[in-house]
Amino acid sequence: MASNILPIPFRRTHAVSLSEALKQYISNKYDQHPDMFKRDLEAIDSLRTDAVTSLEAHTSGIRKLASYAAQLVWIGGKFPIDIGAEFTWYPALGFNTQRPESQNNLRFELANILFNLAALYSQLAVSLNRTTPDGLKAANNYFCQSAGVLGYLRSEVITDLRSTPPEDMDMMTLECLEQLMLAQAQECSWSMAIKKGYKDALIAKLAAKVSDFYDQSAEFGTRSDIISTEWIHHMTAKHHHFAAAAQYRAAWDCLEKHKYGEEVARLRDSLACANEGLKEARWINKAVLGDLNQLKMKVSEDLRTAEKDNDIIYLNPIPAKSELKTLDRAGMAIARKPIEISDPSTSLGDRGAFGQPLFAKLVPYAVHVAASIYAERKDRLVNNTIIDELEALTNKLRELLQSLNLPGSLQALEKPLGLPLSLTSHAEEVRQQQGIHKIRRAMHDVETLKSNDIAMYQEGVELLRLEALEDEKAKMKHGTERWTRPPSQQAGEKLYQQQVLIGEQYLKPASHNDDSVKAKLKDCEPVLRILDGTDRDLEEYVPSSRTAVMPPKVEREASTLRNVLNEVNRMESRRRRKAETLREKAKSDDINPVLLAETARLEREFPMQKIEAAHFEELFEKRLQRYDDDRIMVSDELEEQEHISAQLKEANSAFVAARRGDTSTREREQALQRLENAYLKYKEITFNLDQGRKFYNELAKIVTRFRDECRAFRYQRRVEAGQIETDLSNAMSSLNIAQSNHLQEQKQRETLRAQYSAKAPVKDPITAPVPTRAPVLPPPTPGMWTPELGIKFGGVAPPPAHGINTHNPAYPNTRAGQMRAGQWDANQDTLQRPGRARGTGAGAGGDGSSRYYAVFADGSDRGGRPRLALGDVSGPAVSLLSEAVDDFRMEDGEEGMEELRETRLYARRESENEDDRERWRWALGQEGWERWEMLRLEEVGKEGAGFL
C-alpha cells in the first residue's frame, strides 16, 4: 500500500561470537584470567543475538537494541576497537544491499546497531494510526528520536570509527535521513494542528517548516551516492506540496484579515508551488500524488473565487511575489538523542534499567595505554635526557685525552717494558666481546633493518607514483573539464609530505651516520685486530724503551698527571655506576598499581565516564618528578668535568715541559696511544650500532604505517575513479540518447515543415456573407428569467434541512449553511428592495463556474429585510450586480459594505460541498430551476464553461 511517509529499512548481519574474541584478547593482553568474566562473556553474546534479530516494528526491540548499544559504549573503554571479531553487515540503502561488508571494529558494530535503532523508531512511527491526535503525537516522538539517533551516529560514532564508514553511513546520507525524519515529525505536528482546528496563521507556519525540512533532506540526498532517485523525487514533491499548503493557509489568514489582494497573491504562489510538485508526478507514489492533486484543486477553486471577488468588489492591488512577506516558521520537530545511548550511566548500574555494566572488574584498555605511555616517557627521560648526557660528557673527556696523547705518554714513561695494566684490561674486554666479529654482526643486523625499512618506504613511494600515473591517464582520457577531482598531490597531501619527511629527515641522515660508523671502523680496524689478538701480539706491537731513571722534576710532574688521570678514571667509573643504577631504578618503576588506584577513583567519582589515557597526565608529571635529582646530577657532572679538564690540561702542560727534549719513549708512547684510541673507537662504534638498531626498529613502524596508508589511499582513489568513470559513462549514454531523440524530432519537424510549406490548391474565392436581420425574440414566458430582466426579489420559502459535508483534514472544514428560499419574479424588470437589505447568506462555487450574484428575500433576519446571496451567472448579470453593490454602498454606507464582505466570506465557507445544486434548486423553486438550467445551457454554449 502506497504511503506518504518513508521508513528507514533495517541492516542485516550474520552471527558472530564476540565472546570468543574478547576471551582471546583478555588471555593474551591482560593479566587477568578470562574465566573471571565467564558470565559477562555469555551475556554479551546473548545481547547481540537479541539485538540483531529485532527486525520488526515492535516496541520490545527498542530495549534490545539500546541495551546492547549501551554495553558496546561501556566496553569501548575496556577494550580497543580492533578486538579480533569480524562483524559482517549488509547495507540497508543503495545498490549493493546484497554485498556485505566486514570490519574488525567495535565502533563499526555500534554504528550498525544505532542505525537499526533509528530504523526501528521510524518504522514504529509509520505503523501507528496517524488519524488520531494521540497517534500523531506518538509518531512525532518516534521520528524525533530516530533523528536524534542518526545525529548521534553521525557526529559521535562515525567520526571516531577510525576506518572507512559503510557506504550508506557517509555524512551526506546520514544528514539526509536525519532531515527526512525531522520533516516527517513536523508533518505529524502539522496534521495534529489541523485536526485540533488551530488558526490558519499557525498552520501556515507549521507547513512552511515542513517544507524546509523536506528541502534540506532532498538537498543532502542529491549529494549522497546512496539515496535513491525515488526518495529524492518524493522529498522534492513534499517540499513543494507543503510550500503550497503554507501559502494556501496564509491566504485564508489574509481573507480573515481582509487583505484581499495579498490573498490572491498567496493563492497564486500556492498554485505555482503545487504545479512544481506535480512535475514529480512520474516518480512519486499515488498517495503523495493524490494529496498534491487535491490541494491543487482546492487552491484553483479558491483562486478563481478570490480573483473575481477582488476584481468586482474589493479592487485591492495584488502585490508581486517578491513583495510578499516571508512566512514565519514554527518548528515542532527536534532531534532527541536517547539518553541511554549518549549517556549509559542512566541505564547501567545498580539502578539502571539495563542491569550491571559488563566487564566492570576488567582493567580498562586505556590504563594499559597509559602505562605504555608512561614507560615511553620514562625511557626517553632516563636514556635520552640523563644517560645520553652522561655518555656525551664522557666522550668529550676522552677526546680531550686523545688530543693530549694521554695516557700513552705517561704509560710509556712509567712502564718502559711490558704492557701497562690498563691496556691488558682493555684487551681482555675486547676479546671477551669478540670485538671485530661483534661489530660485523651488529653492522649486518643494522643493514638488514635498514634494507627492510627502505623497501617498505619505496613500496609506499611506488604506490603513490602509480596512483598519480593512473590519475594522469584518466585525466588525459576524459579531459580536465570532466575529470574534476583533485590531483594526487592535493588529495594525498599528508602522504606526500610524509614521503619527504621520511626520506629527508630519517633515511638520509641515518645513511650518513652509517657511513660515518663504517669509516670509523675502517680507520681503527688494523689496531683493533691487534687489541683483539693475544698478549704476544700486543707485546710485539708495543716497542720497549730503554730503562732510565726519571729526573725528580719529571717524576713529580708525572705523579701529578697520574693523580689527575686517576681522577678521570674514577669519574668515568662513577658515571657508569650511576647509569646502571638509573637503569635499574627505571626498570623497577612500576606505575600499574598507581594507575589502577587512579582508575578506581575515576570510576567511583565518574561511573560512566570513558577512561582515557589523557586522564593520567597529571599523574605522569608527578611520577616523573622522582628523576629530578638525576637531572641535577647531570649538571653537577658537567661542572666537575670542566674543573678536571682544566686540571688535566695544566698537569699535562707541566709534564710535557719537564720532558722537553726526551725522545727515548716516543715510539712506545705512540703505540700505546694508538691502542688506547682503538679501544675508545671500539666502544664508540658499538654504542653507535646499538643506537642504529633502535632507530631502524622505530623507523620500521613509521614506514610500515606509511606503506599501509599509501595502499589504502590508492585503493580509495581507484574506487573513486571507478565511480566517476561510471557517472561519466552514464552521462554520455544519456547524452547520446538525447542527441538521438533530438535528431528524430528535428527530422519530424523538417518533414512537417515540408508538408506545411507545400502550396495549397487554388480554389474559388469565398463570397462575403449577406447580412440578415436577427429574428425577433418571442416575449418572455411568465416566471422565466432572462438577462434583460435583471435580478428580482421574490417571496419567502421555508428553510431546508442542514447539509453535512466531510472534508480532508488537510484542508479547511466547510459547514453546511442555512439558506432561506425566494422565488424569482421574472415579470418585473426592476430590482425590488423593501427597506435596507443586508447581505449574509449562502454562497456557491462549482467546478470551473463563473462568479454571479443573486439577491432574494429572507424575511426571518433582522426584521424581514432581504439578504444578499451569492451564486453563479455570467454576462449581463454581472453589471446588474455592480449596480446592486453601488446601491448598497449608497443606502447602507460602510456598515452595509462590511456586512456584504461578511456575506461573501460566509458564502465561501458554506459553498464548498456537494449539496449546492440541491440548495439552489430549493432556492429557485422547481420551475425557476428548470428555466435556470436552460439559461446555464445557453451560457455553456456561449462561453464554453459550466457553472454550478
Side-chain angles (χ1 to χ4, degrees):
M1 178 180 178
S3 173
N4 58 359
I5 295 294
L6 295 178
I8 302 175
F10 289 110
R11 292 173 66 89
R12 296 176 294 108
T13 184
H14 295 309
V16 175
S17 180
L18 180 56
S19 62
E20 286 298 324
L22 294 173
K23 182 178 180 180
Q24 188 68 27
Y25 194 88
I26 294 172
S27 177
N28 295 337
K29 300 293 184 179
Y30 292 88
D31 295 333
Q32 296 162 282
H33 198 277
D35 291 343
M36 296 174 57
F37 311 99
K38 183 177 180 180
R39 298 181 64 181
D40 292 342
L41 292 170
E42 294 174 353
I44 195 68
D45 275 348
S46 176
L47 286 173
R48 187 179 194 275
T49 301
D50 292 342
V52 301
T53 54
S54 299
L55 301 181
E56 59 181 11
H58 195 277
T59 54
S60 62
I62 297 176
R63 178 184 176 86
K64 295 176 182 178
L65 288 165
S67 60
Y68 181 51
Q71 293 289 357
L72 285 176
V73 173
W74 164 256
I75 67 175
K78 300 281 186 177
F79 297 95
I81 61 173
D82 52 341
I83 194 63
E86 287 289 336
F87 300 103
T88 302
W89 286 88
Y90 290 84
L93 302 170
F95 305 100
N96 300 316
T97 55
Q98 300 303 318
R99 187 173 66 189
E101 180 177 356
S102 299
Q103 289 191 24
N104 173 20
N105 192 330
L106 280 175
R107 285 276 172 176
F108 175 72
E109 172 82 348
L110 176 61
N112 284 277
I113 294 298
L114 291 179
F115 187 94
N116 274 4
L117 181 59
L120 177 60
Y121 279 127
S122 71
Q123 296 195 21
L124 285 172
V126 173
S127 67
L128 293 173
N129 179 13
R130 298 189 307 281
T131 61
T132 64
D134 291 340
L136 289 170
K137 184 178 180 181
N140 173 279
N141 181 55
Y142 281 139
F143 279 130
C144 289
Q145 287 184 302
S146 178
V149 173
L150 290 169
Y152 178 78
L153 172 62
R154 173 179 52 82
S155 61
E156 301 294 336
V157 180
I158 296 298
T159 55
D160 194 31
L161 196 59
R162 304 179 195 175
S163 63
T164 304
E167 59 182 9
D168 57 348
M169 288 192 201
D170 62 290
M171 290 300 174
M172 294 299 102
T173 302
L174 293 178
E175 281 277 13
C176 172
L177 295 178
E178 182 179 354
Q179 296 299 320
L180 175 62
M181 295 298 105
L182 291 175
Q184 296 178 160
Q186 181 78 9
E187 185 175 349
C188 291
S189 299
W190 171 80
S191 298
M192 193 187 312
I194 291 175
K195 287 188 175 295
K196 292 185 176 181
Y198 289 166
K199 292 185 178 180
D200 293 324
L202 176 58
I203 297 176
K205 294 176 182 179
L206 292 171
K209 190 60 178 178
V210 177
S211 177
D212 291 346
F213 279 132
Y214 275 117
D215 183 35
Q216 293 172 8
S217 179
E219 180 181 353
F220 285 117
T222 56
R223 294 160 62 184
S224 168
D225 297 331
I226 300 302
I227 299 300
S228 65
T229 55
E230 180 183 356
W231 277 33
I232 295 174
H233 287 304
H234 172 95
M235 293 179 285
T236 304
K238 298 278 276 189
H239 158 58
H240 293 302
H241 176 198
F242 281 95
Q247 292 290 12
Y248 182 65
R249 284 291 179 168
W252 273 93
D253 185 59
C254 292
L255 175 61
E256 296 283 355
K257 298 176 180 177
H258 308 158
K259 299 178 181 179
Y260 306 110
E262 184 178 346
E263 175 200 4
V264 174
R266 293 199 180 276
L267 286 173
R268 288 176 179 174
D269 189 34
S270 177
L271 184 60
C273 292
N275 289 329
E276 284 294 321
L278 287 173
K279 291 180 180 179
E280 311 290 336
R282 293 175 54 189
W283 301 281
I284 58 180
N285 60 43
K286 294 181 179 180
V288 179
L289 181 60
D291 291 344
L292 268 171
N293 282 324
Q294 188 177 12
L295 175 61
K296 180 182 177 182
M297 181 179 66
K298 299 298 296 182
V299 173
S300 300
E301 292 176 358
D302 285 1
L303 178 60
R304 285 194 299 269
T305 301
E307 286 178 337
K308 289 283 186 175
D309 290 352
N310 192 63
D311 291 344
I312 296 174
I313 302 178
Y314 309 117
L315 306 177
N316 285 357
I318 300 175
K321 181 180 178 179
S322 58
E323 298 176 3
L324 293 176
K325 179 184 176 182
T326 303
L327 295 177
D328 294 331
R329 269 61 174 167
M332 299 298 291
I334 301 175
R336 290 193 291 272
K337 293 184 292 187
I339 195 168
E340 60 268 17
I341 302 301
S342 59
D343 185 10
S345 62
T346 60
S347 54
L348 296 177
D350 294 333
R351 300 181 180 179
F354 299 155
Q356 292 293 333
L358 302 179
F359 306 99
K361 296 181 180 180
L362 184 67
V363 178
Y365 176 73
V367 175
H368 296 268
V369 174
S372 62
I373 292 175
Y374 176 76
E376 181 182 355
R377 292 186 186 179
K378 177 186 63 179
D379 292 342
R380 191 186 310 124
L381 173 64
V382 170
N383 294 320
N384 299 346
T385 306
I386 301 176
I387 295 179
D388 287 356
E389 287 292 334
L390 291 176
E391 291 287 346
L393 290 175
T394 303
N395 291 334
K396 187 176 180 181
L397 188 58
R398 289 171 179 173
E399 291 174 359
L400 176 61
L401 291 173
Q402 291 178 15
S403 66
L404 297 178
N405 201 25
L406 292 173
S409 60
L410 186 59
Q411 288 175 347
L413 183 63
E414 292 177 338
K415 193 172 180 61
L417 300 175
L419 299 175
L421 183 61
S422 61
L423 177 60
T424 56
S425 64
H426 291 165
E428 184 63 25
E429 180 183 349
V430 173
R431 292 191 200 108
Q432 289 179 356
Q433 296 178 358
Q434 299 179 346
I436 297 295
H437 180 69
K438 176 184 178 182
I439 291 177
R440 291 295 183 188
R441 186 173 62 249
M443 293 183 71
H444 179 267
D445 293 343
V446 170
E447 194 65 30
T448 301
L449 292 174
K450 177 182 178 181
S451 300
N452 293 337
D453 292 351
I454 292 176
M456 282 188 286
Y457 170 72
Q458 290 178 346
E459 184 180 351
V461 173
E462 182 66 13
L463 288 170
L464 291 179
R465 187 189 69 82
L466 292 176
E467 191 283 322
L469 183 61
E470 292 171 357
D471 184 66
E472 191 63 29
K473 287 182 179 179
K475 188 179 297 183
M476 293 176 63
K477 177 181 178 181
H478 298 284
T480 56
E481 292 185 357
R482 285 182 293 175
W483 197 262
T484 57
R485 72 169 182 171
S488 299
Q489 290 193 353
Q490 181 179 347
E493 182 179 1
K494 292 184 178 179
L495 289 177
Y496 281 93
Q497 291 176 354
Q498 195 173 2
Q499 172 189 344
V500 176
L501 176 67
I502 294 174
E504 296 295 329
Q505 298 188 19
Y506 290 156
L507 291 176
K508 191 173 181 180
S511 180
H512 176 73
N513 293 336
D514 294 342
D515 294 340
S516 175
V517 172
K518 292 176 182 178
K520 290 178 184 178
L521 179 61
K522 183 178 180 180
D523 292 341
C524 71
E525 186 173 5
V527 182
L528 189 58
R529 288 188 179 278
I530 296 173
L531 195 62
D532 195 20
T534 62
D535 290 343
R536 184 174 181 180
D537 296 333
L538 288 174
E539 290 174 355
E540 291 178 355
Y541 182 77
V542 178
S544 300
S545 60
R546 60 183 177 84
T547 305
V549 178
M550 287 187 293
K553 183 177 180 181
V554 174
E555 185 176 1
R556 185 173 60 252
E557 296 300 335
S559 177
T560 303
L561 181 58
R562 170 54 63 187
N563 292 333
V564 177
L565 285 176
N566 290 337
E567 189 64 29
V568 170
N569 292 332
R570 284 193 294 270
M571 178 181 288
E572 290 185 2
S573 299
R574 184 176 68 247
R575 287 176 179 175
R576 283 194 296 270
R577 290 194 301 270
K578 287 184 177 180
E580 290 299 325
T581 303
L582 186 58
R583 290 190 181 98
E584 290 296 327
K585 178 181 177 180
K587 186 177 180 180
S588 61
D589 183 8
D590 185 11
I591 198 175
N592 286 325
V594 182
L595 287 176
L596 292 176
E598 180 67 11
T599 301
R601 184 188 68 83
L602 291 174
E603 290 182 342
R604 184 172 58 255
E605 296 181 2
F606 310 98
M608 290 298 137
Q609 182 180 9
K610 183 179 179 180
I611 304 298
E612 300 286 352
H615 295 155
F616 305 99
E617 286 295 332
E618 185 177 353
L619 177 62
F620 293 162
E621 293 179 2
K622 292 181 179 179
R623 188 77 174 182
L624 291 175
Q625 288 178 1
R626 59 174 57 193
Y627 299 97
D628 289 347
D629 294 340
D630 299 294
R631 297 188 205 180
I632 297 174
M633 178 267 294
V634 175
S635 301
D636 295 340
E637 288 289 333
L638 176 60
E639 294 179 2
E640 186 177 357
Q641 178 166 315
E642 291 176 352
H643 178 66
I644 289 180
S645 297
Q647 289 181 349
L648 185 62
K649 292 177 183 178
E650 182 180 355
N652 185 69
S653 298
F655 175 71
V656 171
R659 293 190 61 225
R660 186 173 289 116
D662 183 9
T663 60
S664 60
T665 60
R666 179 69 55 85
E667 293 182 2
R668 184 176 176 84
E669 289 177 14
Q670 292 176 353
L672 291 174
Q673 190 61 42
R674 284 195 294 270
L675 290 172
E676 182 69 20
N677 292 342
Y679 171 75
L680 296 177
K681 285 294 182 182
Y682 168 76
K683 300 292 287 184
E684 184 179 349
I685 290 172
T686 55
F687 176 77
N688 290 337
L689 290 174
D690 286 340
Q691 294 295 318
R693 188 185 298 110
K694 293 178 181 178
F695 169 79
Y696 284 116
N697 282 327
E698 292 295 327
L699 183 61
K701 301 177 183 178
I702 298 175
V703 294
T704 301
R705 184 168 59 249
F706 170 71
R707 191 256 331 257
D708 293 342
E709 290 178 355
C710 290
R711 187 177 294 165
F713 173 70
R714 186 189 182 196
Y715 174 76
Q716 179 184 359
R717 293 275 286 181
R718 275 184 169 182
V719 173
E720 181 182 338
Q723 183 64 39
I724 294 176
E725 288 183 344
T726 301
D727 294 342
L728 290 176
S729 177
N730 294 337
M732 291 300 296
S733 300
S734 302
L735 180 61
N736 292 336
I737 294 174
Q739 289 178 348
S740 176
N741 294 338
H742 178 70
L743 290 175
Q744 291 179 2
E745 293 175 0
Q746 187 175 2
K747 258 184 199 178
Q748 293 176 359
R749 286 196 298 269
E750 290 176 355
T751 303
L752 293 174
R753 190 180 299 114
Q755 294 175 359
Y756 291 145
S757 60
K759 293 184 177 179
V762 180
K763 294 184 179 180
D764 296 336
I766 300 174
T767 58
V770 178
T772 58
R773 183 180 300 277
V776 179
L777 296 175
T781 304
M784 180 174 181
W785 180 87
T786 62
E788 291 78 7
L789 296 179
I791 302 175
K792 315 296 181 180
F793 283 100
V796 179
H802 290 273
I804 300 175
N805 187 25
T806 304
H807 291 273
N808 190 320
Y811 306 108
N813 293 329
T814 57
R815 298 166 302 186
Q818 296 182 0
M819 181 187 303
R820 299 195 178 272
Q823 297 292 334
W824 295 105
D825 187 357
N827 297 322
Q828 299 185 23
D829 55 358
T830 59
L831 182 65
Q832 300 176 359
R833 297 179 57 211
R836 298 176 60 188
R838 304 265 181 193
T840 55
D847 297 337
S849 62
S850 303
R851 188 70 178 166
Y852 77 94
Y853 296 78
V855 181
F856 53 90
D858 183 358
S860 64
D861 181 58
R862 302 189 184 183
R865 299 176 184 176
R867 300 174 56 126
L868 182 66
L870 306 172
D872 286 328
V873 304
S874 59
V878 173
S879 61
L880 294 177
L881 170 69
S882 300
E883 295 175 3
V885 169
D886 292 338
D887 290 343
F888 264 76
R889 188 184 301 276
M890 293 174 58
E891 294 185 22
D892 294 65
E894 289 303 322
E895 180 183 357
M897 289 304 298
E898 183 62 24
E899 190 168 343
L900 180 60
R901 294 189 186 97
E902 296 175 359
T903 300
R904 180 251 173 166
L905 176 62
Y906 181 74
R908 284 279 300 279
R909 294 188 183 277
E910 295 298 324
S911 64
E912 296 170 355
N913 58 67
E914 298 176 356
D915 297 332
D916 284 347
R917 182 180 298 272
E918 293 300 322
R919 217 171 329 133
W920 282 103
R921 185 191 302 276
W922 162 81
L924 299 177
Q926 184 62 32
E927 183 180 359
W929 175 255
E930 292 174 356
R931 294 177 181 177
W932 192 261
E933 281 285 286
M934 293 175 62
L935 176 62
R936 181 180 68 82
L937 295 176
E938 292 177 5
E939 289 293 325
V940 170
K942 292 177 182 179
E943 299 183 4
F947 85 112
L948 285 183

